[in-house]
Amino acid sequence: MHERSSVGELVKSLRSELNRYSPGEKLPSSRALVERFKVSPVTVSRAVSQLASEGLVVTRPGSGAFRAETDAPVPAPGDTSWQEVSLSGDGGPEVVPRTVDASGVLVTLAAPPPGVIEFNGGYLHPGLQPERALAAALARAGRRPGAWGRPPTDGLPELRAWFAREIGSTLTGADVLITAGGQSALATALRALAPPGAPVLVESPTYPGMLAVARATGLRPVPVPVDADGVRPDLLEAAFRATGARVFVCQPLFQNPTGAVLAPDRRARVVRAARAAGAFVVEDDFARRLVHADAGPQPEPLAAHDPHGVVVHVRSLTKITSPSLRVGALAARGPVLERLRAIQVVDSFFVPRPVQEAALELVGSPSWERHLRTVAAELGSRRTAMTAAVRSGLPELTLPHVPSGGGSIWLRLPGPVAGEPALVAAALRAGVAVAPGRPYYCAEPPAAHVRLSFAAVSGAAEIAEGVRRLRAAVDDLPGRSDSLPG
């Protein structure tokens, strides 16, 4: 059984038995618990630590664990209703909103209920994460001299240089800032590049987390449609003229959610359009390392061929490793780098040094390239399995583009947009969680969609079962005939 599951079950068992012991009475020894529950000493230690953190037991080194003394009665809750008035307004326009809609982000962050297949996940399945390599890297990092000291505010020089090499040979470590993951980097970039109330051009559809960051910063997202070849330069140029925007956020490689790759003849035109408008391009290169084994050579980042500093580049190690390895990078040229640096320092001081050291250990180890090859092969295989299953089992759902990178597919539903929530709810009742398409649009969506992740599941068998459940959900929708209901 997985270690985390064992800990949870042991905690549940011990919690249910605590009433057998008087306050202050000693609990069975760790050895006795190991023998009784057939678990490892590490599992027992973690379970007891969790109970201690809940205030249910007290541990005494050398003596063991004891039931905690009876807690004092919990006082009656105070009256916090006054906060509704204080938080609701100040008599003036709200330039930067104080309330943030995180629902689109939480869809991919929240774990589904037990037994539900995770077609809505945003990260690699634990079986694809390099857990052993990460554990070894963290252990080695912790033993490095000065590993727990204060790091440079811009990040470790060696890690900055590594990211610079990954982005392109024209950049150096001096052009890079280390960030706490890609989401933090996007937030810093948008705060640095546009004032509250300003428009920001975004691909449509696009990543809900970026839309949430833009709105939380007080910006007004303006959609620019994408097709199978990425954002349309003619519409981008028109949007710059119409809005006066000074920022365009894009994902040129394996765009989320469509999986599109910006076509070669569009790449230079996008950068030229931004430069002509006196604007920046924020290049979110989140999926660079999520390329599939059969994809072939991929284009370099836009930032690799941008001597004029138009492109602010964002990338992260999180997607290709683990949700908890929140190490990313911001790369930029010119005066904007100083503004990015200032905002990051004010917000977070620096990324913890042990995390940076662990990232360096990981990418410098022989296991790193093996991990990349494994993920490339597995993602390609799972994409093929999912596209085949959808085409066979759900022919009424349209798959406009088969991606060669990333971890999901983007499906158009028949019928009007109003049918989308019904399908998402029915799917969850059938035991499969899917991501609704609405949060990927900053304006009214042109059609109903769902996004299905193949990266967050265990393999082909779970994909087949998830599609079977989704088929059952579609068939159970009220009023269904040959298409989804409106």
Side-chain angles (χ1 to χ4, degrees):
M1 182 181 293
H2 198 281
E3 181 71 31
R4 281 174 287 193
S5 300
S6 299
V7 171
E9 291 178 4
L10 182 55
V11 167
K12 184 177 180 181
S13 297
L14 294 178
R15 192 186 290 120
S16 67
E17 296 179 1
L18 280 177
N19 286 334
R20 299 180 186 177
Y21 303 92
S22 302
E25 184 177 353
K26 185 176 181 180
L27 274 61
S29 67
S30 295
R31 178 177 298 179
L33 294 176
V34 166
E35 294 176 355
R36 177 185 168 193
F37 290 98
K38 308 301 181 187
V39 294
S40 71
V42 172
T43 297
V44 170
S45 176
R46 290 179 176 175
V48 171
S49 295
Q50 182 169 330
L51 292 173
S53 71
E54 296 174 6
L56 299 176
V57 303
V58 175
T59 58
R60 299 171 188 162
S63 299
F66 302 80
R67 182 181 171 183
E69 299 294 336
T70 304
D71 293 334
V74 177
D79 180 7
T80 60
S81 58
W82 65 271
Q83 293 185 3
E84 295 182 41
V85 178
S86 179
L87 294 173
S88 63
D90 54 10
E94 193 174 17
V95 178
V96 178
R98 289 174 292 174
T99 59
V100 178
D101 181 6
S103 57
V105 181
L106 292 173
V107 166
T108 58
L109 290 180
V116 174
I117 293 176
E118 192 173 3
F119 275 0
N120 64 333
Y123 297 102
L124 295 178
H125 184 271
L128 288 180
Q129 295 173 22
E131 290 189 352
R132 293 180 62 183
L134 281 167
L138 189 60
R140 292 194 301 271
R143 295 193 295 269
R144 283 188 172 195
W148 293 91
R150 182 178 60 198
T153 54
D154 291 356
L156 297 180
E158 302 90 340
L159 189 57
R160 295 169 68 196
W162 181 84
F163 271 114
R165 291 192 298 272
E166 288 281 298
I167 299 167
S169 58
T170 61
L171 283 86
T172 70
D175 302 314
V176 174
L177 304 175
I178 301 302
T179 68
Q183 186 75 0
S184 172
L186 283 173
T188 296
L190 290 179
R191 284 182 59 196
L193 301 177
V200 55
L201 304 185
V202 301
E203 294 170 314
S204 182
T206 191
Y207 166 52
M210 188 278 297
L211 294 178
V213 165
R215 289 171 175 141
T217 309
L219 305 181
R220 295 187 293 107
V222 176
V224 184
V226 302
D227 58 23
D229 291 322
V231 69
R232 289 182 49 183
D234 58 330
L235 297 180
L236 177 65
E237 291 161 356
F240 274 128
R241 290 193 299 269
T243 65
R246 293 295 179 263
V247 183
F248 169 52
V249 186
C250 64
Q251 296 175 330
L253 188 64
F254 312 135
Q255 197 260 356
N256 181 12
T258 66
V261 176
L262 187 61
D265 62 332
R266 296 185 179 187
R267 295 168 61 80
R269 189 174 171 186
V270 165
V271 177
R272 283 200 306 270
R275 190 180 182 201
F280 289 94
V281 173
V282 177
E283 179 184 27
D284 181 6
D285 204 16
F286 79 103
R288 175 69 52 174
R289 288 301 193 173
L290 298 179
V291 61
H292 302 166
D294 58 358
Q298 298 302 313
E300 291 184 284
L302 298 178
H305 304 283
D306 171 43
H308 305 298
V310 175
V311 180
V312 174
H313 183 90
V314 174
R315 72 166 52 195
S316 170
L317 283 171
T318 305
K319 289 291 188 182
I320 188 59
T321 57
S322 161
S324 289
L325 187 64
R326 306 210 61 78
V327 175
L330 265 172
R333 293 183 174 96
V336 70
L337 186 63
E338 183 56 38
R339 183 177 294 186
L340 293 166
R341 176 185 290 115
I343 291 175
Q344 173 158 298
V345 167
V346 169
D347 280 352
S348 59
F349 291 176
F350 47 74
V351 177
R353 184 164 190 148
V355 178
Q356 295 190 56
E357 297 278 9
L360 267 177
E361 288 282 354
L362 178 67
V363 300
S365 69
S367 62
W368 177 241
E369 291 298 330
R370 291 197 300 269
H371 169 64
L372 296 180
R373 290 192 296 270
T374 298
V375 171
E378 283 290 331
L379 289 182
S381 174
R382 294 175 190 200
R383 174 216 60 209
T384 300
M386 178 169 277
T387 55
V390 167
R391 283 170 169 166
S392 173
L394 294 162
E396 62 266 67
L397 274 61
T398 304
L399 176 61
H401 176 70
V402 178
S404 57
S408 62
I409 59 174
W410 181 243
L411 297 168
R412 179 168 176 163
L413 310 182
V417 175
E420 182 183 298
L423 175 59
V424 173
L428 191 58
R429 290 194 299 270
V432 57
V434 302
R438 181 63 185 89
Y440 291 83
Y441 291 92
C442 65
E444 294 79 5
H449 293 83
V450 292
R451 195 192 78 153
L452 305 185
S453 170
F454 50 81
V457 295
S458 61
E462 192 169 19
I463 288 172
E465 174 61 17
V467 172
R468 186 196 67 77
R469 295 182 186 184
L470 191 53
R471 172 76 266 168
V474 171
D475 291 340
D476 287 345
L477 284 169
R480 180 188 178 274
S481 54
D482 293 330
S483 64
L484 300 179

